[in-house]
Amino acid sequence: MSDIRPQYHFRRTPRGLDAFDVKKLIKLSASLPIKTIDPRKIEELEENHWYSAGGEPTPRSIMEHLQLIQECDLAYPVILDAQGRLMDGMHRVCKAVMSGETQILAVQFITDPEPDYVNCHPEDLPYE
């Protein structure tokens, strides 16, 4: 897991923008049962997922996401919160949908973990 780049799942809440460390989500979800879901039904496919916490969808940033989609491994399950919303794995979801897959591996929290950062600004988080 040391080769995973530092990244966060952001969620808007009444208190502001909360962030979950993806490496921590992976550790916390490691013992959850693996199931299959239809990636085409992930609600976040219809939302401003990658840019909802800020930033602009420039051609360069889109190319970076396309590169990550090409390189991701569908053998790793995506992570869902207790309500079935995506917490990690959008690049894998996109790869599966673009490849015509109708099932993808997933784990789902029964109770959501607490965020690592509350009412934060993405540019203030550690990325090293």
Side-chain angles (χ1 to χ4, degrees):
M1 183 168 38
S2 61
D3 60 337
I4 296 175
R5 64 187 168 80
Q7 56 189 303
Y8 301 92
H9 167 68
F10 295 101
R11 181 153 299 167
R12 293 219 177 268
T13 68
R15 61 187 169 221
L17 187 65
D18 293 351
F20 299 80
D21 183 318
V22 170
K23 283 186 181 183
K24 186 175 174 185
L25 290 175
I26 292 168
K27 286 180 188 176
L28 292 172
S29 67
S31 63
L32 295 174
I34 297 174
K35 62 182 182 177
T36 58
I37 60 168
D38 187 339
R40 301 168 300 177
K41 295 185 178 178
I42 296 289
E43 291 180 30
E44 289 81 1
L45 285 170
E46 306 301 330
E47 298 173 3
N48 180 4
H49 182 75
W50 288 314
Y51 304 98
S52 64
E56 292 291 321
T58 64
R60 183 172 309 282
S61 71
I62 292 169
M63 286 188 299
E64 290 168 357
H65 283 294
L66 288 171
Q67 185 71 34
L68 291 168
I69 290 168
Q70 287 178 330
E71 294 173 355
C72 70
D73 188 343
L74 295 180
Y76 296 99
V78 300
I79 301 173
L80 306 174
D81 71 8
Q83 292 74 43
R85 300 217 16 111
L86 193 66
M87 295 187 85
D88 175 58
M90 183 54 84
H91 294 109
R92 282 169 276 154
V93 168
C94 289
K95 183 174 191 169
V97 171
M98 290 170 61
S99 300
E101 301 290 333
T102 58
Q103 295 198 335
I104 190 172
L105 300 176
V107 293
Q108 185 171 4
F109 287 108
I110 296 169
T111 303
D112 291 340
E114 290 297 315
D116 297 290
Y117 301 92
V118 175
N119 192 21
C120 65
H121 299 281
E123 62 276 3
D124 295 337
L125 300 179
Y127 290 93
E128 298 289 324

